[in-house]
Amino acid sequence: MRHLAACILLTLLLVGCAAPADPDKAQESIQVIAMDTAMLITTYGERSSAAAYAAEDVIRDLEKQLSRTKEDSVVSQLNAAGRRMLVEGDLIPLLSSSGWFYELTSGAFDITVAPVVSAWGFTTDSFQVPSQEELHELLKLVDGSEVSVTPAYDDGEGTKATVRLGPGQSIDLGAIAKGYAANKVLEVFREYGLPRAKAELGGNVLVLGDRPDETPWRVGIQDPKRPDDPNGFIGVLELTDSFAVTSGGYQRYFEENGKRYHHIIDPSTGYPADSGLTSVTVVADCEMENGTMCDALSTALFIMGEEKALDFWRSGGVPDSNFELVLVTEDGRVLITEGLADRFVRDESSGYSYETIS
Ligand code: ADP
Ligand code: MG
């Protein structure tokens, strides 16, 4: 009996000692299907589980507010109301950012492209090629400069502002919402004091700290020619404390009469962007607003094409913010801007040629 008691005491001591010694032993990994995307959140540290589920809550709350396909979302209500509406919550900063990136990208990023996205069937998955006449009519509604937001105020129950759209306009936040969600997930990770974590919200990746073995996180960049091959990378980014966001025509598309139509629409033509790029990856440090910036830019620079995208990068296109790029071209080149060169590991067997851009 005494022997048994000693054994129990010893076991308790061992268990008690082992648990808190290594925070990396406390790890949580959860999958979240939201915003039309399979997401993966991996967290480390003593509060890893609570942080992962708090991040999930934040994402689900955003989806509820911002989805165009959920009738009771604020965005759906605004689109139905048309012209003018009092709104609250995350839509307010998102609309400000959207206006900002509309200006900076000379209209390549434009949330009022919504009716055109719908005409192609990307909102409902009933894909079709719209007629020239239909696109011509719908393009009259596409003009991000007509969206305005009054300064936000707090009425004691939350932040509010009045949003105005142009006549007949509607908005689609698909190109920026996941980046904004990544900002908020970072906020959660910091709140819970996590030493390291990774959130993959589809093409929007956030890495906090480094990996448990103290090497950088590895973020593969998909070869646009091999979208279904889970190991089909053109290279790997080695990152710590960063956002990395990829947009590509291979991610969501349909085919008709042997032609492929993807979901990133050039607001100047109403057609899927055909700029000679097959994917754009934007990388920036873990500053709070950078998730949104990377998401908006990956979409816009994909539309702008190689020359304009590199000019935008060279001229420091976003005041007071730094970002780096990996562009993949239709004719088999991978262009890496110099600030990223030593964090990009090429896959020489991919068949692409690689250039560092300065
Ligand atoms: P994903 O959502 O696949 O990560 P993006 O961030 O590039 O890719 O966003 C594409 C989505 O953004 C489209 O599905 C559509 O809803 C919307 N969109 C398409 N073209 C534009 C555009 N020119 N400006 C803003 N949003 C757009
Ligand atoms: Mg985007």
Side-chain angles (χ1 to χ4, degrees):
M1 197 61 199
R2 200 181 277 175
H3 180 65
L4 181 63
C7 272
I8 290 172
L9 185 65
L10 185 66
T11 310
L12 284 175
L13 277 174
L14 283 176
V15 170
C17 288
D22 182 359
D24 290 329
K25 288 266 158 46
Q27 184 201 334
E28 185 65 79
S29 192
I30 63 171
Q31 205 191 19
V32 180
I33 309 288
M35 299 178 160
D36 243 344
T37 307
M39 306 179 173
L40 189 64
I41 300 169
T42 308
T43 49
Y44 293 83
E46 282 165 32
R47 302 178 75 198
S48 54
S49 280
Y53 288 106
E56 175 178 5
D57 288 347
V58 159
I59 292 167
R60 295 212 181 280
D61 174 55
L62 282 172
E63 182 183 37
K64 242 192 238 158
Q65 297 181 60
L66 306 176
S67 167
R68 263 182 90 191
T69 50
K70 294 192 191 306
E71 258 179 50
D72 55 349
S73 76
V74 198
V75 166
S76 294
Q77 287 174 38
L78 174 63
N79 286 342
R83 311 215 54 174
R84 189 168 180 265
M85 200 176 113
L86 183 68
V87 301
E88 61 185 339
D90 294 288
L91 185 58
I92 301 170
L94 260 167
L95 287 174
S96 306
S97 299
S98 297
W100 171 238
F101 288 109
Y102 168 81
E103 295 290 335
L104 290 177
T105 64
S106 312
F109 178 87
D110 190 340
I111 57 173
T112 66
V113 80
V116 180
V117 174
S118 295
W120 286 94
F122 287 112
T123 320
T124 50
D125 282 351
S126 42
F127 306 119
Q128 55 176 340
V129 179
S131 69
Q132 274 289 354
E133 297 76 51
E134 189 185 355
L135 285 178
H136 180 74
E137 284 309 305
L138 292 176
L139 279 176
K140 294 178 183 164
L141 302 173
V142 180
D143 178 0
S145 71
E146 289 191 49
V147 180
S148 70
V149 195
T150 58
Y153 61 91
D154 198 323
D155 66 354
E157 286 171 30
T159 314
K160 303 220 163 71
T162 300
V163 179
R164 234 180 261 275
L165 304 182
Q169 282 192 321
S170 53
I171 60 162
D172 181 326
L173 297 171
I176 195 170
K178 289 197 286 287
Y180 182 82
N183 286 346
K184 295 201 78 167
V185 167
L186 173 62
E187 219 172 283
V188 171
F189 288 170
R190 294 224 163 113
E191 220 173 275
Y192 281 79
L194 303 188
R196 51 178 51 91
K198 183 178 191 184
E200 295 160 272
L201 319 183
N204 285 250
V205 179
L206 153 68
V207 295
L208 177 75
D210 53 9
R211 293 194 298 181
D213 65 1
E214 295 181 356
T215 60
W217 292 98
R218 295 169 59 78
V219 179
I221 299 185
Q222 188 75 39
D223 177 357
K225 287 191 194 134
R226 295 177 288 162
D228 300 322
D229 179 353
N231 296 312
F233 298 127
I234 52 128
V236 173
L237 288 166
E238 296 186 328
L239 302 174
T240 53
D241 292 312
S242 303
F243 290 104
V245 179
T246 302
S247 279
Y250 62 90
Q251 286 164 328
R252 199 161 141 71
Y253 63 84
F254 69 98
E255 280 175 15
E256 200 175 286
N257 297 328
K259 215 173 146 21
R260 189 178 276 200
Y261 300 96
H262 62 73
H263 71 317
I264 303 176
I265 305 294
D266 183 341
S268 67
T269 64
Y271 277 84
D274 186 14
S275 66
L277 294 178
T278 49
S279 86
V280 170
T281 301
V282 184
V283 179
D285 290 347
C286 265
E287 307 284 333
M288 228 25 135
E289 308 282 325
N290 279 353
T292 321
M293 173 182 76
C294 290
D295 199 2
L297 289 188
S298 67
T299 308
L301 300 189
F302 180 86
I303 294 164
M304 286 155 77
E306 173 179 340
E307 206 174 316
K308 283 191 189 157
L310 292 180
D311 283 349
F312 188 85
W313 172 77
R314 287 194 183 100
S315 65
V318 183
D320 304 322
S321 293
N322 289 317
F323 61 89
E324 301 293 336
L325 304 174
V326 181
L327 308 182
V328 185
T329 72
E330 230 161 47
D331 59 5
R333 290 171 298 129
V334 178
L335 314 176
I336 306 124
T337 57
E338 60 185 355
L340 207 52
D342 61 350
R343 289 178 283 164
F344 180 82
V345 182
R346 305 169 176 194
D347 183 344
E348 303 282 2
S349 69
S350 68
Y352 284 84
S353 68
Y354 295 82
E355 294 167 40
T356 302
I357 305 292
S358 48

